[in-house]
Amino acid sequence: EAARANISFSDIREYEQFVPPISLQEKFSERVSEIRELEAAQSLSRQRLGDLFQSMLHRAFKGEL
């Protein structure tokens, strides 16, 4: 609370803002999209492995293996 009283909007407006070039922002966005696609694929793969494991457990306890 005490520090906030010493900061005004005019002080904040004086700070220089750094904005990366649009090409770099687009490249970053593309990478984030790629990572999200990989995460989704890994999640699906984990689900399939879990399903297969449960199926094998079921078959093992039924004596089918």
Side-chain angles (χ1 to χ4, degrees):
E1 290 292 323
R4 185 172 31 157
N6 294 329
I7 298 175
S8 67
F9 281 114
S10 61
D11 292 334
I12 293 172
R13 286 187 190 120
E14 292 176 7
Y15 287 109
E16 191 173 340
Q17 296 179 3
F18 298 100
V19 178
I22 193 70
S23 62
L24 187 58
Q25 292 179 44
E26 289 170 349
K27 203 179 275 189
F28 177 81
S29 177
E30 289 171 8
R31 295 286 171 99
V32 169
S33 294
E34 291 172 6
I35 290 169
R36 288 188 176 149
E37 288 174 12
L38 287 171
E39 288 174 336
Q42 287 176 343
S43 178
L44 181 61
S45 179
R46 277 192 302 273
Q47 180 64 43
R48 289 186 66 215
L49 284 172
D51 292 345
L52 288 171
F53 180 72
Q54 290 301 317
S55 174
M56 288 185 68
L57 279 178
H58 179 72
R59 289 174 63 194
F61 283 110
K62 284 180 67 176
E64 296 177 357
L65 291 180

